[in-house]
Amino acid sequence: MKYKSQKVAYWFFVACMVLLVLQITYGFIMAFAHLGYDGLHAITPFNTARAVHTNLLVVWLLCGFMGAAYYIIPEESKRELYSIKLAYIQLISFLLVGVIAIAGYHVNWWEGRKFLEIPRPLDYLVVINVLAFLFNILMTLWKAKERTTTAMVLTMGLVFAALLYLPGMIWFDSQTLDSFFRWWVVHLWVEGVWELIMGGILAYLLIKITGVDREVIEKWLYVIIGLTFISGILGTGHHYYYIGTPNYWLIVGGIFSALEPLAFLGMALFAITMYMRSGRNHPNKLALYWTMGCAITAFVGAGLLGAAHTLPQVNLYTHGTLVTAMHGHMAFWGAYAMLIFAVISYAMPLMTGRKIYNNMTGLLAFWFSNIGMIGMTLSLGVAGVAQVYLERKLGLSFMQVQKEIEVHFFVMIIAATLFSTGITLYLINFFRYGKPKDEAILSETEFESLQSQGA
Amino acid sequence: MLSKKQARFFFFGGTILVFIIFLGMTWDSIANRIPEQTHADALTPEVVAGKRLWDKNNCMGCHTIFGEGAYYAPELTKVIERRGEPYIKSVLTSPVPWAPNGRKMVAYGFSNEEAENLIAYFRWIGNVDLNGFPAKPDIEK
Ligand code: HEM
Ligand code: HEM
Ligand SMILES: [Fe+2]
């Protein structure tokens, strides 16, 4: 940490951790319901649990992106954040809107639009909030003497993400058009502008951890985000196969979405080669694990498992089955959840001056959560493939098939328990750090000397 | 060897080019194709009222429609064809949770008119040309 104002990131990270725990709780409610135990049906029916699970995911990831930006932008622009007060106001109001939305989902106040369930009046509050956030970031950059590529790519990602929220707020009478523009938010976020955020944060972490020359890292950053947009924008077509849209999307969506894994392959190779090139031995092993893990798991979860069902011939059968849920879990986990875990692991020692970055708890947190997530993905994958064959190929009824695949949710719950154990260990490390301190500013010099010793 | 400037050009140039093509295809889809393919002229007030009920109650939180939604309850795109209207009506108006196979649906207890609107919505949905989705099961049992 070089600037006192970077400390605001801490409270965003705390919010991340709390919301993640809630998200997982609702995940268990759904997994048990799939298994036949829906005891909470009267108060938390499946659709409530689902809306809460996925919305909390998005809210904590956004909170993490904001926290990361508040940590990274001052450092990259070599000055304090424009307004610390605005950052706190913005965090509290963001959480308030989130909590109201989540409460609303328990009393049938929502919109049945997958991932965009937040009712329209609250959407306007989200917009105001995000404008306040962007104002703070942009003013910091505006007043800075230096604007690095890394900072600009990260900021570009955040600004585009805000803009792309708007098409999700238009009213449509036609289910087809509603869906069409819902994907401008959902797809163009995760397979477009969020990858800019991911690329920016990864570049920052790699510069810090590996010490490879900034110019080299930022050059490849441009190549990767170039691949992202060139494949991902027209790749939106993989959601326009079967919703009442013209059939030319089958060709365009098929070809371009099949290229999307290249961007994720780029991220993985980027991280691996920069690590191999690095002459130093950074002491923060956990940050290194999560950074490399993020780039590699994103390639597997988003790139490979996305490509597995992206061709129209395959998607005709897998569309809207548990195969999609299988991919959704590992993709979000690898690309975005692990990214935030990496930023937190990197920033915490620097904000607090404590060095809990190479201990058994932290290593077990990494391995348990990742092995647990692989197990969850496998169980959803087996259930999904069985569902596709029995329901879509053989023509058994939906509920008949659900009975057949119930057992896989038992396996999923076991894997999810291992996953949650890993998350718990991560939380233990996180809270052991305690609150950030101004005196921690000194420790970066100390870190730099540690780094050169390792060379 | 690639320079940073060339890499930046690749990013901005590529993005702008692809984005223009995307906007063009979006325009063609919305203005020329989707209205016909979805029978937009058949979006009666009843269908729209049904769609609003579909949204208001987050039916997509359990079911899929056009293959989009959740994986807890059946796909409803062709539900009229599969079940017929009387069956659907009794599900929608049921005062107790509908659970023919043990898995419960929320008991909405819709009025007769609301149920009619939802059925009109399903009928509209069922007539949309979906490029072959859902596929007919193609393996002999
Ligand atoms: C980090 C990046 C990614 C994330 C977080 C992600 C997540 C998701 C999620 C949550 C869904 C379900 C969406 C819904 O039904 O509303 C989905 C669907 C899909 N994803 Fe991804 N994805 C990512 C990248 C990719 C990539 C790179 C590909 C292709 C190569 C891909 C291919 C697909 C396809 C084909 C579907 C539609 C599945 C269906 O028809 O039901 N995804 N993704
Ligand atoms: C203990 C951990 C978890 C359990 C038991 C769990 C369980 C579930 C279940 C049962 C569903 C609903 C599938 C359906 O509609 O039938 C779901 C959806 C989803 N979960 Fe989780 N989950 C867990 C953790 C996570 C994590 C950590 C993430 C992200 C990093 C995540 C992301 C998602 C997404 C994106 C969906 C929507 C998928 C789609 O619509 O295709 N979940 N989860
Ligand atoms: Fe997509």
Side-chain angles (χ1 to χ4, degrees), chain A residues 198-210:
Chain A
M198 178 184 175
I201 295 178
L202 272 185
Y204 170 83
L205 290 171
L206 290 172
I207 291 169
K208 298 291 167 180
I209 295 174
T210 68

Side-chain angles (χ1 to χ4, degrees), chain A residues 183 186-188 190-191 232 235-239 257 260 310 327:
Chain A
W183 289 115
V186 179
H187 171 96
L188 288 177
V190 300
E191 289 156 74
T236 316
H238 68 180
H239 303 290
S257 70
E260 284 178 30
T310 203
H327 152 71

Side-chain angles (χ1 to χ4, degrees), chain A residues 380-425:
Chain A
L380 284 173
V382 172
V385 171
Q387 182 190 7
V388 168
Y389 266 85
L390 296 175
E391 190 185 323
R392 301 281 171 90
K393 287 286 203 181
L394 288 174
L396 267 65
S397 84
F398 179 88
M399 278 311 299
Q400 256 179 314
V401 175
Q402 292 295 306
K403 276 268 169 275
E404 292 298 321
I405 62 178
E406 220 170 68
V407 58
H408 302 299
F409 283 90
F410 178 68
V411 182
M412 184 188 182
I413 287 172
I414 299 197
T417 306
L418 181 63
F419 173 79
S420 310
T421 311
I423 299 298
T424 310
L425 294 174

Side-chain angles (χ1 to χ4, degrees), chain A residues 47-314:
Chain A
N47 55 351
T48 296
R50 192 181 209 286
V52 174
H53 183 67
T54 52
N55 281 257
L56 279 176
L57 168 66
V58 175
V59 170
W60 85 255
L61 292 178
L62 290 176
C63 239
F65 293 160
M66 290 176 181
Y70 281 139
Y71 187 84
I72 294 173
I73 297 294
E75 190 169 321
E76 286 284 297
S77 26
K78 299 206 169 62
R79 55 156 292 151
E80 296 283 353
L81 192 64
Y82 175 70
S83 165
I84 299 183
K85 206 154 125 211
L86 184 60
Y88 283 125
I89 295 175
Q90 188 249 319
L91 171 65
I92 292 166
S93 55
F94 189 67
L95 292 177
L96 215 60
V97 175
V99 169
I100 296 173
I102 301 303
Y105 298 164
H106 289 79
V107 293
N108 212 27
W109 190 46
W110 48 17
E111 285 167 16
R113 300 161 72 233
K114 189 178 180 182
F115 288 109
L116 308 183
E117 286 90 349
I118 297 191
R120 228 53 71 98
L122 292 183
D123 277 337
Y124 292 100
L125 295 181
V126 173
V127 169
I128 296 171
N129 190 277
V130 170
L131 285 177
F133 164 73
L134 289 177
F135 176 74
N136 212 354
I137 294 294
L138 291 173
M139 284 308 282
T140 309
L141 282 169
W142 178 257
K143 302 214 158 188
K145 282 184 211 69
E146 203 175 317
R147 284 184 277 278
T148 63
T149 300
T150 301
M152 292 313 279
V153 169
L154 174 57
T155 308
M156 225 180 342
L158 295 165
V159 171
F160 288 162
L163 285 176
L164 280 171
Y165 192 71
L166 303 177
M169 291 170 59
I170 314 169
W171 286 103
F172 293 105
D173 292 341
S174 152
Q175 187 68 43
T176 298
L177 290 176
D178 197 325
S179 210
F180 195 96
F181 286 101
R182 191 176 69 83
W183 289 115
W184 280 39
V185 190
V186 179
H187 171 96
L188 288 177
W189 264 10
V190 300
E191 289 156 74
V193 299
W194 280 25
E195 283 181 58
L196 262 61
I197 300 174
M198 178 184 175
I201 295 178
L202 272 185
Y204 170 83
L205 290 171
L206 290 172
I207 291 169
K208 298 291 167 180
I209 295 174
T210 68
V212 171
D213 180 35
R214 178 183 285 275
E215 287 301 301
V216 177
I217 289 193
E218 291 180 341
K219 175 176 80 182
W220 292 110
L221 176 60
Y222 271 130
V223 174
I224 290 170
I225 61 176
L227 288 173
T228 295
F229 276 164
I230 291 169
S231 63
I233 293 177
L234 286 170
T236 316
H238 68 180
H239 303 290
Y240 297 163
Y241 296 156
Y242 308 120
I243 61 167
T245 31
N247 58 10
Y248 50 62
W249 287 108
L250 271 70
I251 300 171
V252 175
I255 293 173
F256 283 86
S257 70
L259 297 174
E260 284 178 30
L262 284 180
F264 287 99
L265 179 64
M267 302 253 194
L269 292 178
F270 181 55
I272 293 169
T273 36
M274 295 310 146
Y275 172 64
M276 310 245 276
R277 269 203 201 189
S278 110
R280 35 159 113 150
N281 198 354
H282 197 281
N284 190 338
K285 286 285 169 287
L286 293 176
L288 177 68
Y289 268 71
W290 286 104
T291 304
M292 305 303 287
C294 163
I296 294 167
T297 315
F299 172 59
V300 177
L304 293 182
L305 296 182
H309 57 149
T310 203
L311 295 180
Q313 298 87 332
V314 179

Side-chain angles (χ1 to χ4, degrees), chain A residues 20 23-32 34 46 50 53-54 57 60-61 114-115 321-334 336-338 373 376 380 402 409 412-413 415-417 419-420 423, chain B residues 60-62 69-73 103:
Chain A
L20 167 63
Q23 185 213 339
I24 292 175
T25 312
Y26 282 84
F28 274 106
I29 295 178
M30 282 192 289
F32 275 105
H34 265 287
F46 190 87
R50 192 181 209 286
H53 183 67
T54 52
L57 168 66
W60 85 255
L61 292 178
K114 189 178 180 182
F115 288 109
T321 64
L322 289 164
V323 170
T324 310
M326 170 276 298
H327 152 71
H329 275 88
M330 197 147 178
F332 262 113
W333 169 251
Y336 302 120
M338 289 184 78
M373 180 50 78
M376 285 162 62
L380 284 173
Q402 292 295 306
F409 283 90
M412 184 188 182
I413 287 172
T417 306
F419 173 79
S420 310
I423 299 298
Chain B
M60 214 192 227
C62 292
Y71 319 119
Y72 190 65
R103 197 174 275 184

Side-chain angles (χ1 to χ4, degrees), chain B:
Chain B
M1 198 46 192
L2 183 80
S3 72
K4 188 167 169 185
K5 220 167 149 188
Q6 288 166 324
R8 189 190 305 135
F9 179 77
F10 170 72
F11 168 65
F12 283 110
T15 301
I16 291 169
L17 181 72
V18 169
F19 192 62
I20 291 172
I21 299 173
F22 181 65
L23 286 183
M25 289 180 70
T26 296
W27 175 255
D28 181 65
S29 296
I30 293 174
N32 308 327
R33 312 290 185 109
I34 292 177
E36 222 171 293
Q37 204 170 330
T38 62
H39 311 284
D41 49 344
L43 280 169
T44 59
E46 291 75 36
V47 176
V48 176
K51 155 103 169 92
R52 295 282 176 263
L53 282 172
W54 172 265
D55 281 350
K56 189 175 167 290
N57 295 289
N58 191 15
C59 308
M60 214 192 227
C62 292
H63 295 276
T64 46
I65 197 113
F66 294 166
E68 291 179 3
Y71 319 119
Y72 190 65
E75 158 65 49
L76 296 178
T77 305
K78 299 285 177 195
V79 67
I80 302 253
E81 211 173 281
R82 200 169 66 241
R83 296 292 196 188
E85 290 180 22
Y87 180 99
I88 299 170
K89 205 163 191 174
S90 49
V91 175
L92 294 175
T93 51
S94 166
V96 292
W98 186 266
N101 298 289
R103 197 174 275 184
K104 290 195 203 78
M105 172 163 153
V106 176
Y108 289 105
F110 287 118
S111 71
N112 200 47
E113 190 193 342
E114 287 170 327
E116 294 286 349
N117 288 339
L118 275 163
I119 287 171
Y121 167 73
F122 287 135
R123 201 176 302 116
W124 180 83
I125 291 279
N127 284 329
V128 172
D129 171 4
L130 297 178
N131 300 329
F133 180 83
K136 292 263 167 294
D138 57 357
I139 298 179
E140 289 297 317
K141 265 181 263 185

